[in-house]
């Protein structure tokens, strides 16, 4: 295997040496907003998570690709990230679950990568400066620097439009759902992860609709509950969705995760703010303020709902113990709630899975009072 | 939930002496616990028999009982101190077992008695009783390997018939896998089941379907009172199931699990800790995974901090024991700040951006007769851990950290032996787990044996094998390269794969210094990154670093003069926790004196590698290259502040490195003096000048020279290689024939097998053999002293050994103050010690060993460094020798330290005591039934205990009890003595009679005793020469409760070995010297005459 020398250049001018992996980017240049993720396992899920649209993912865990990739750990039909930055890509994978290797997956979907990078130095840089635009590839350093500087990052771009489904589709409920009656859930796809769909399907039939679907169309489907999915980028860029959510509130139980949670917050009248470098990992402690219990959570977001701006009637239910930001909200009167973290995991701990149960109960309470 | 205010005082149970399976990790955890509980304002009472620990320093608890860890003693401490709670989860298996004993006796854990915090009796029982544990796991839907319980051999066979062979046998309530084994046939099962039944304190074994070859994992889990659970670290074993985790090369974090599998394991671990009911603290849960289909089963859980939690703490920077102690007194995880980030709470899961590899270190070469094959029973005596950015880097660093003479994963002189094996033999070797297996695997890959074949043979996961293959392939590239022209990228790649300069020097036939210089000229140098629990997500100021070859350095110096303390590396026989004790004390003392202290060490079990022991910690191998890297980093971080290096506190390891360091940086005793003490010629000249007698002898590099010496000095002689530790390969030789054998052993066979020195460098003109007249019937004496730069000498302690010279000082019991030596002899010894200290220009510690034959005092050796006995002396006398020495080394005088109160006013320069302290060695024989237990000049003990009381007899009795030697008050004592020992034996037998014990003896001994009017109760045949029961039978049946067996002469010591082995296997107390027997009967008599009394060090030393 011959080494293709490559470099990564950030918009601030810092340069990292490495070698090209994955797909060959056009003209030897790939660019995007460089972020990091601190998970120790679950690279396939992270890479295929649509929330990373527009971004280049740096893995802080140095060994990536060890257990290969498989057909079930996809979080979307394809990866939407712009690139992958690792310290050490496995030459050989080993796992009974593996069907192929990570390098093959990257090539198949045209995702470029760079290996051999001092990812700790890179992470420290991003931590101190916030997510930075960058470019990597086999092109000259000057070319890469120029590309990094031209790269707009993710601000002011509607990334959701790039990842949402073009047409509605249905995910049949799973067998355990059948045992306790049928529910119909309409799920907004802002970049929905497969693991979320699997969880929702345990509660009922899931009708997945494009991000731009108007509220009226959703209500016409007579849902028992509406789900607002995770997704990439700035919630302010999806104002059409905020409008839709506002119209849905009060008519049907609503549950939002991550971007969906932010959209719910905006629809309720709260503000969102951008974090310096976001939360991207599988080890964030979140406290459920009602029970006091701590959940270790999977997180991937740059924006948060500003708890100080929550209107009357809306409670903050969860808080991130690391930095105190709002991780969950509940509008009891409107039967709506959301969490900033990822209760579905994929990858990550299962501590917050109870929230899907909460959603199911909310739906059933409504049915009982109807 | 905040701190519990209903508790005031807490008893912490320590883990006792260092033994295989329970080493200084519990000093680390106990020390952390003591510190935080005192910080929290609790009154801490500590019980631990091990004087070499940091935790038993009087500063760490309000009351420190260095007393035997037995239920009686604990009961006495409980009734004296009336603690509100007992914390049993930080003292290893010993702590748990004692807590259960106290619980069963109704003394703790019941209404009106101290509460058990951390884990209650119910939880301990559920986790420790393997049957209950399995039922509990099945109950909550977790898979376990099929199994059944047996209390007899028949029962064991029946169970095996049901579940099918192969099976693994596991005794209940044991530590480190003692008595565990894998049986493939019914015969094997009979043997292993018998051993297992004997090993279990309750005579119960579990027979379980063998899943050897599956992948093995561990999760370190914590839980708080509010039921919050977190995983601190996942650990993957490179060696598959069937090799005890303590004997496996292990890696953190887990490398080959998909997130789906990992989360399933995490869920199972939480379910397990909840079901077992560990309320608060850390637990270790072990899993096996079938590599074919991913089936997961749970193997065991330890409801306490463990060796793995020490490793996990060091691997992640998350202080498990400290947090466990806080959780035990009521805090919840979110209420405790993460020390490292300071901004985030402890209720998170550390994530890391490097790879940690742990490699165990064994001592098979010291235990002839052992097979050296690893199994389900732990056999290693220590471990080294290394941190790298990748697995190859950390593996190679760990291997060179071991100090077994290897420079990394092969590519060094040590690999030559593998050339002797053909490919088939190599594959066979790869299938057999041994300390060498990893090297065999690498050699196999180098020869082109495929990963598939090696995987099938070794069951090591293909990912690990491929990572090893990267090292092997790079080696081929490097070998072919023109090294002086190597481009920067190639240097960097090699260093990133963990190659040491020593390996490169070997490959290129260059010197290590040339390689280093050439490399540095290309700009490739070590960079130091930080261990921060969060993979750089948050800014951390943790002063915890490791080297790697990347872009940037994260070391920040604090702008004070620095003292760099070189630690002692992995525990091994001869160099253990005592040296860590000294290093840690130096760090504390120098920190308090305004220095910035910097620790370099690679032993994850220790207090020294706790990131808050020193101002800065470098978790690095102790090699020439790695230490120079640290020096460079320190100088770069702060070019102006003064740097001093302390090399005399970590045992032989740092001392060996001293010559490669800039001499002006070495604190205290100049390196030249170290050389005088080690170099035979110079040392002899010094003794001659001072007119201090030495045993006559000389140095030899050939048999002829050795024979020539014996013609001059006569037999018996003591033969040993120079520059070794713990009497390694030292032998007493009686005649020419034996001398020939011994010399041949040292020279020729040098390269293969464990009985060699090949790995330790072989023999050469610089490393000759020393041949000395063996002093018979001599009393051995150890002295620890400190000399300051003005020449004042403080004699810290004079220790008289119980066993005669010829039993290694590390293996013999000794007492402070001396018990039988004439006062003037002690004074002569002190005078000699002062003279030697002056002559060597010692600034710091000096240890001198003497042998006193009649009234003639011979000096055996002097070590101008901290000795194994420094902590014992400190505990016996109350003078913190290591602290004093470290201050003295950086320039303080004893007079100044007296002013500070660190050194007491003493008369005659010697610390006096009005009690007696006895140190006793703890030997590893119970794990190695095939080994002869006779003591000799090669040290084999793994640890030590101390007994302290008002008289020698009582203190000795306590020391023996603490060491696990039960001195009986009934039953039959069995004596078999060599002729020289018979007069003393008569005294022993008479006392035993007086104490009401029966006396049995072999024919010759019985006849001798009869001549003096002592008719024994039973004359026992030597093995097989009559129809009566043999000694072995009597031992096996339990009739004999005490064995005194002194070997015949100093010749081939096989005689009586079956008796000693039987005693070992059946756990009957046995002594192998008459001196020990005399001391024992003395102690038994005094003990019988008065009740047990316990007293804390604070009371002894007026603290
Ligand atoms: N069913 C089994 N089949 C094969 N090996 C086993 C089995 N159970 C345990 N082992 C091996 O034995 C070792 C010791 O067993 P364990 O239950 O962990 O006892 P210990 O209390 O000594 O740690 C394990 O580390 C594992 O390698
Ligand atoms: N000349 C001698 N006569 C009798 N015993 C000796 C003699 N020299 C050494 N020994 C015994 O051998 C042991 C180990 O020797 P020593 O020189 O102290 O080696 P080490 O450096 O391993 O401590 C001593 O503790 C002592 O019991
Ligand atoms: Mg175990
Ligand atoms: Mg010695």
């Amino acid at each position: 295997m011959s080494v293709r020398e490559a470099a990564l250049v950030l918009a601030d001018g810092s340069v990292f040496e490495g070698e090209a992996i994955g797909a060959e980017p056009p003209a030897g240049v790939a660019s995007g907003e460089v972020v990091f993720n601190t998970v120790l396992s679950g690279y396939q899920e992270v890479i295929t998570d649509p929330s990373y649209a527009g971004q280049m993912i740096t893995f802080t865990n140095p060994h990536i690709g060890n257990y290969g990739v498989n057909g079930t750990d996809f979080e979307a039909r394809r990866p939407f990230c712009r690139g992958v930055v690792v310290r050490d890509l496995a030459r050989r994978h080993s796992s009974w679950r593996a069907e192929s290797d990570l390098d093959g997956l990257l090539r198949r979907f045209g995702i470029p990568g760079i290996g051999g990078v001092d990812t700790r130095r890179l992470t420290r840089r991003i931590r101190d400066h916030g997510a930075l635009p960058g470019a990597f590839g086999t092109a000259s350093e000057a070319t890469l620097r120029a590309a990094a500087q031209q790269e707009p990052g993710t601000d002011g771009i509607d990334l959701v439009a790039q990842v949402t489904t073009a047409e509605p589709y249905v995910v049949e409920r799973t067998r355990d759902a059948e045992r306790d009656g049928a529910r119909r859930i309409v799920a907004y796809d802002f970049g929905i992860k497969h693991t979320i769909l699997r969880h929702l399907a345990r509660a009922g039939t899931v009708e997945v609709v494009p991000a731009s679907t108007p509220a009226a169309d959703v209500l016409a489907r007579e849902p028992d509950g509406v789900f607002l999915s995770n997704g990439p980028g700035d919630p302010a860029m999806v104002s059409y969705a905020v409008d839709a959510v506002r119209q849905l509130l009060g008519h049907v139980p609503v549950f939002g995760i991550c971007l969906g949670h932010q959209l719910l917050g905006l629809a309720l009248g709260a503000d969102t703010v951008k974090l310096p470098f976001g939360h991207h990992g599988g080890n964030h402690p979140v406290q459920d303020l009602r029970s006091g219990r701590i959940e270790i959570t999977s997180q991937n977001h740059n924006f948060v709902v500003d708890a100080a701006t929550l209107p009357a009637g809306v409670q903050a239910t969860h808080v991130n113990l690391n930095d105190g930001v709002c991780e969950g909200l509940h509008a009891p009167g409107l039967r709506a709630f959301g969490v900033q973290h990822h209760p579905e995991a994929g990858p990550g701990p299962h501590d917050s899975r109870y929230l899907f149960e909460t959603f199911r109960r909310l739906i059933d309470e409504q049915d009982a009072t109807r | 939930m905040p701190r519990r205010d209903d508790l005031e005082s807490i008893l912490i149970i320590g883990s006792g002496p260092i033994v295989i399976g329970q080493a200084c990790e519990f000093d680390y955890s106990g020390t952390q616990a003591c510190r935080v509980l005192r910080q929290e304002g609790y009154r801490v009472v500590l019980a631990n028999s091990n004087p070499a620990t940091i935790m038993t320093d009087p500063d760490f608890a309000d009351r420190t009982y260095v007393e035997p860890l037995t239920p009686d003693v604990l009961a006495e401490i409980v009734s004296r101190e009336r603690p509100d709670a007992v914390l049993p989860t930080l003292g290893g298996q010993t702590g748990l077992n004692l807590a259960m004993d106290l619980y069963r006796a109704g003394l703790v854990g019941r209404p009106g008695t101290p509460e058990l915090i951390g884990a209650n009796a119910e939880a301990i029982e559920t986790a420790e009783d393997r049957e209950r544990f399995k039922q509990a796991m099945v109950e909550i839907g977790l898979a376990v390997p099929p199994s059944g319980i047996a209390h007899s051999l028949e029962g064991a066979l029946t169970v095996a018939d049901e579940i099918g062979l192969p099976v693994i046998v596991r005794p209940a309530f044991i530590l480190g896998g003692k008595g565990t084994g894998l049986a493939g046939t019914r015969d094997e099962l009979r043997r292993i089941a018998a051993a297992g039944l004997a090993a279990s304190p309750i005579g119960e074994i579990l027979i379980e379907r063998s899943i050897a070859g599956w992948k093995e994992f561990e999760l370190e889990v914590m839980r708080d009172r509010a039921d919050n659970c977190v995983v601190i670290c996942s650990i993957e074993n490179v060696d598959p199931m069937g090799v005890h985790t303590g004997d496996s090369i292990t890696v953190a974090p887990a490398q080959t699990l998909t997130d789906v599998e990992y989360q399933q394991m995490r869920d199972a671990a939480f379910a397990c800790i909840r079901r077992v009911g560990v309320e608060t603290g850390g637990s270790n849960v072990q899993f096996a995974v079938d590599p074919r289909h991913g089936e997961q089963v749970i193997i065991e859980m330890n409801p306490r901090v463990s060796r793995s939690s020490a490793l996990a703490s060091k691997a992640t920077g998350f202080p498990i024991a400290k947090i466990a102690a806080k959780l035990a007194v009521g805090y919840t995880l979110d209420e405790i700040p993460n020390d490292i980030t300071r901004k985030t709470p402890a209720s998170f899961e550390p994530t890391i951006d490097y790879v940690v590899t742990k490699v165990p270190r064994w001592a098979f070469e010291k235990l002839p007769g052992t097979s050296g094959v690893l199994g389900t029973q732990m056999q290693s005596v220590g471990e080294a851990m290394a941190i790298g950015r990748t697995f190859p880097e950390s593996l190679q660093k760990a291997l060179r950290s071991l100090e077994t003479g290897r420079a990394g994963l092969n590519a060094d002189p040590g690999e030559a032996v593998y050339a002797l094996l053909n490919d088939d033999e190599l594959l066979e070797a790869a299938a057999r787990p041994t300390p060498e297996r990893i090297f065999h695997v690498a050699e196999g890959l180098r020869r082109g044996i495929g990963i598939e074949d090696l995987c099938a043979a070794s069951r090591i996961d293909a990912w690990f094998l491929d990572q090893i293959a990267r090292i092997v392939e790079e080696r081929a590239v490097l070998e072919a390269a023109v090294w002086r022209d190597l481009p920067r990228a190639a240097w960097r790649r090699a260093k990133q794969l963990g190659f040491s300069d020593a390996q490169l020097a070997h490959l290129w036939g260059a010197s290590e210094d040339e390689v280093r210089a050439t490399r540095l000229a290309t700009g490739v140098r070590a960079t130091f990154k930080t261990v921060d629990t969060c993979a750089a997500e948050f800014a951390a100021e943790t002063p915890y670093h490791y080297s790697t070859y990347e872009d940037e350095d994260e070391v920040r110096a604090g702008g004070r003069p620095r003292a760099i303390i070189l630690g002692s590396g992995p525990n091994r026989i001869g160099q253990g926790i005592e040296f860590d004790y000294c290093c840690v004390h130096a760090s504390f003392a120098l920190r308090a004196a305004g220095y910035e202290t910097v620790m370099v060490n690679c032993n994850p079990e220790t207090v020294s590698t706790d990131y808050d022991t020193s101002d800065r910690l470098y978790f690095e191998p102790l090699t020439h290259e790695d230490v120079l890297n640290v020096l460079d980093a320190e100088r770069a971080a702060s070019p102006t502040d003064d740097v001093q290096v302390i090399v005399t506190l970590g045992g032989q390891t740092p001392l060996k490195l001293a010559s490669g360091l800039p001499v002006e940086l070495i604190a205290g005793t100049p390196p030249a003096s170290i050389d005088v003490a080690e170099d035979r010629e110079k040392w002899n000249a010094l003794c001659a000048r001072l007119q201090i007698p030495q045993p006559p002898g000389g140095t030899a590099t050939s048999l002829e020279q050795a024979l020539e010496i014996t013609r001059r000095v006569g037999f018996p002689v003591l033969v040993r290689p120079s520059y070794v530790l713990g009497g390694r390969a030292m032998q007493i030789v009686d005649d020419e024939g034996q001398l020939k054998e011994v010399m041949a052993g040292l020279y020729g066979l040098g390269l293969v097998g464990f009985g060699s020195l090949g790995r330790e460098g072989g023999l050469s003109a610089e490393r000759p053999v020393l041949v000395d007249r063996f002093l018979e019937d001599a009393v051995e004496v150890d002295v620890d002293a400190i000399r300051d730069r003005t020449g004042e000498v403080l004699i810290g302690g004079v220790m008289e050994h119980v066993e005669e010279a010829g039993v290694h000082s590390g293996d013999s019991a000794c007492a402070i103050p001396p018990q039988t030596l004439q006062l003037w002899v002690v004074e002569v010894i002190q005078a000699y010690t002062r003279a030697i200290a002056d002559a060597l220009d010692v600034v710091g510690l000096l240890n001198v060993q003497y042998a006193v034959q009649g009234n003639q005092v011979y000096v055996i050796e002097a070590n101008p460094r901290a000795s194994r006995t420094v902590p014992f002396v400190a505990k016996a006398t109350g003078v913190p020798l290591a602290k004093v020495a470290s201050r003295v080394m950086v320039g303080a005088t004893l007079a100044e330290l007296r002013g500070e109160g660190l050194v007491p006013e003493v008369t005659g320069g010697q610390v006096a005591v009005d009690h007696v302290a006895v140190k006793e060695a703890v030997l590893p024989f119970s794990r190695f039934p095939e080994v002869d237990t006779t003591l000799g000049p090669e040290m084999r003990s793994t640890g030590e205990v101390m007994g302290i009381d008002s008289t020698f007899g009582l203190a000795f009795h306590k020391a023996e009890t603490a060491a696990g030697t039960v001195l009986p008050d009934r039953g039959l004592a069995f004596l078999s003595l060599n002729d020289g020992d018979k007069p003393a034996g008569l005294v022993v037998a008479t006392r035993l009679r007086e104490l009401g014990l029966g006396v049995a003896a072999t024919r010759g001994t019985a006849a001798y005793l009869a001549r003096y009017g002592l008719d024994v109760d039973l004359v026992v045949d030597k093995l097989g020469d009559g129809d009566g029961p043999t000694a072995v039978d009597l031992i096996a049946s339990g009739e004999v409760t005490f064995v005194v067996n002194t070997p015949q002469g100093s010749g081939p010591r096989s005689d009586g070995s079956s008796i000693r082995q039987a005693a070992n296997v059946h756990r009957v107390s046995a002594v192998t010297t008459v001196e020990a027997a005399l001391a024992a009967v003395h102690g038994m008599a005094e003990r019988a005459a008065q009740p047990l009394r316990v007293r804390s060090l604070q009371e002894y030393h007026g603290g």
Side-chain angles (χ1 to χ4, degrees), chain A residues 38 92 120-121 285 350-351, chain B residues 266-267 347 351 452 551 554:
Chain A
T38 66
R92 177 189 178 117
R120 183 172 169 90
R121 181 182 148 226
H350 298 162
D351 301 7
Chain B
R266 182 178 178 274
D267 291 346
S347 55
T351 187
E452 278 68 23
D551 298 350
E554 298 177 24

Side-chain angles (χ1 to χ4, degrees), chain B residues 811-833:
Chain B
D811 281 359
S812 52
C814 68
I816 288 181
Q819 295 298 307
T820 72
L821 294 177
Q822 306 242 21
L823 281 179
W824 69 266
V825 171
V826 175
E827 263 191 70
V828 168
I829 287 173
Q830 292 178 10
Y832 283 173
T833 306

Side-chain angles (χ1 to χ4, degrees), chain B residues 130 170 177 208-209 211 216 241-245 286 300:
Chain B
R130 295 203 184 263
R170 309 203 291 169
E208 184 172 282
R209 162 89 50 78
I211 46 173
E216 188 164 2
M241 284 288 289
V243 177
H244 195 276
T245 48
Q286 290 170 30
E300 71 154 351

Side-chain angles (χ1 to χ4, degrees), chain A:
Chain A
M1 214 171 47
S2 71
V3 173
R4 293 175 289 154
E5 276 182 25
L8 164 72
V9 181
L10 294 179
D12 71 357
S14 37
V15 180
F16 299 78
E17 60 187 300
E19 62 196 54
I21 58 172
E24 186 81 54
V29 182
S31 66
E33 180 178 72
V34 185
V35 296
F36 63 84
N37 188 306
T38 66
V39 295
L40 291 174
S41 53
Y43 52 81
Q44 184 183 348
E45 295 91 321
V46 170
I47 290 169
T48 56
D49 178 346
S51 300
Y52 283 101
Q55 297 180 322
M56 308 212 279
I57 310 162
T58 306
F59 286 97
T60 60
N61 182 14
H63 283 293
I64 295 294
N66 303 7
Y67 50 77
V69 295
N70 60 57
T72 33
D73 289 348
F74 277 93
E75 284 299 339
R77 60 195 183 280
R78 51 153 300 157
F80 290 95
C81 63
R82 294 270 194 88
V84 171
V85 182
V86 304
R87 171 63 177 80
D88 199 284
L89 178 70
R91 310 191 304 182
R92 177 189 178 117
H93 63 268
S94 169
S95 168
W96 63 281
R97 296 187 68 222
E99 289 160 28
S100 155
D101 62 19
L102 178 58
D103 197 48
L105 179 140
L106 296 178
R107 284 168 195 271
R108 180 147 54 100
F109 291 105
I111 308 292
I114 180 168
V117 170
D118 183 349
T119 45
R120 183 172 169 90
R121 181 182 148 226
L122 176 58
T123 303
R124 280 160 51 88
R125 197 13 66 82
I126 301 169
R127 175 193 78 203
D128 292 344
H129 292 238
L132 276 164
F136 68 72
T138 49
S140 74
E141 206 178 294
T143 312
L144 292 170
R145 178 166 295 120
Q149 274 151 7
Q150 279 154 32
E151 167 62 34
T154 54
D155 286 353
I157 296 174
D158 180 4
L159 292 161
V160 168
Q162 298 174 14
V163 301
T164 186
T165 178
E167 297 297 329
Y169 61 94
V170 174
V171 177
E172 292 301 337
R173 61 189 191 208
T174 52
R175 231 176 288 134
D176 22 324
E178 281 165 29
R179 246 176 283 125
D180 65 337
R183 300 177 193 83
R184 178 181 311 175
I185 297 166
V186 172
Y188 268 99
D189 176 11
F190 304 118
I192 198 163
K193 288 169 65 186
H194 285 177
T195 309
I196 292 182
L197 288 175
R198 273 196 288 273
H199 278 282
L200 292 175
R202 282 195 198 124
T205 305
V206 187
E207 300 181 8
V208 184
V209 297
S212 56
T213 309
D217 291 11
V218 168
L219 290 174
R221 291 170 182 266
E222 297 187 350
D224 298 304
V226 171
F227 177 77
L228 311 174
S229 86
N230 63 299
D234 184 347
M237 290 298 107
V238 258
S239 51
Y240 50 89
V242 177
D243 294 341
V245 175
R246 208 175 286 126
Q247 291 165 38
L248 291 168
L249 283 171
H251 297 284
V252 60
V254 175
F255 175 28
I257 287 179
C258 199
L259 180 67
H261 155 85
Q262 293 160 12
L263 297 174
L264 175 61
L266 290 172
L268 287 165
D271 293 339
T272 55
V273 288
K274 188 168 185 177
L275 294 172
F277 50 91
H279 294 165
H280 306 277
N283 66 342
H284 280 250
V286 164
Q287 187 160 39
D288 181 335
L289 294 170
R290 295 159 303 186
S291 67
R293 302 263 315 204
I294 296 161
E295 302 151 27
I296 303 299
T297 64
S298 181
Q299 304 229 349
N300 174 33
H301 60 104
N302 293 303
F303 291 85
V304 285
V305 174
D306 183 354
T309 62
L310 287 178
V314 183
Q315 316 153 356
T317 54
H318 294 75
V319 63
N320 186 310
L321 294 177
N322 282 345
D323 56 9
V325 305
C326 173
E327 288 285 343
L329 58 80
H330 183 202
L334 298 170
R335 291 177 320 215
F337 73 107
V339 287
Q340 183 59 70
H341 55 276
H342 288 265
E344 79 284 3
H350 298 162
D351 301 7
S352 309
R353 281 188 168 173
Y354 69 92
L355 288 162
F356 289 98
E357 186 53 33
T358 306
F359 185 40
R360 173 164 33 188
R361 270 205 313 274
L362 193 63
I363 290 174
D364 292 353
E365 278 161 22
Q366 155 191 267
D367 287 349
T369 57
R370 204 156 36 194

Side-chain angles (χ1 to χ4, degrees), chain B residues 266-347:
Chain B
R266 182 178 178 274
D267 291 346
F270 290 169
C272 173
I273 190 171
R274 288 182 170 126
R275 173 60 187 82
V276 168
V278 176
E279 282 178 340
T280 69
S283 292
N284 156 269
V285 192
Q286 290 170 30
F287 294 89
V289 175
D290 185 343
R292 289 161 308 181
H293 320 290
E295 185 189 346
Q296 285 184 16
V297 299
I298 193 158
I299 299 300
E300 71 154 351
M301 90 94 81
N302 292 305
R304 54 172 170 87
V305 302
S306 62
R307 179 178 45 261
S308 299
S309 37
L311 184 73
S313 298
K314 305 305 165 74
T316 58
F318 187 101
I320 294 177
K322 186 190 272 182
I323 305 287
K326 287 205 179 190
L327 298 181
V329 296
Y331 287 103
T332 50
L333 285 163
D334 53 310
E335 293 170 341
I336 306 170
N338 174 352
D339 276 358
I340 288 195
T341 60
R342 293 181 205 266
K343 296 187 187 80
T344 58
S347 55

Side-chain angles (χ1 to χ4, degrees), chain B residues 422-433 437 440 454 457:
Chain B
N422 67 31
D423 287 7
D424 289 341
E425 287 165 336
L426 256 187
L427 262 181
E428 253 170 58
R432 200 171 348 107
R437 166 152 84 176
H440 289 137
L454 283 165

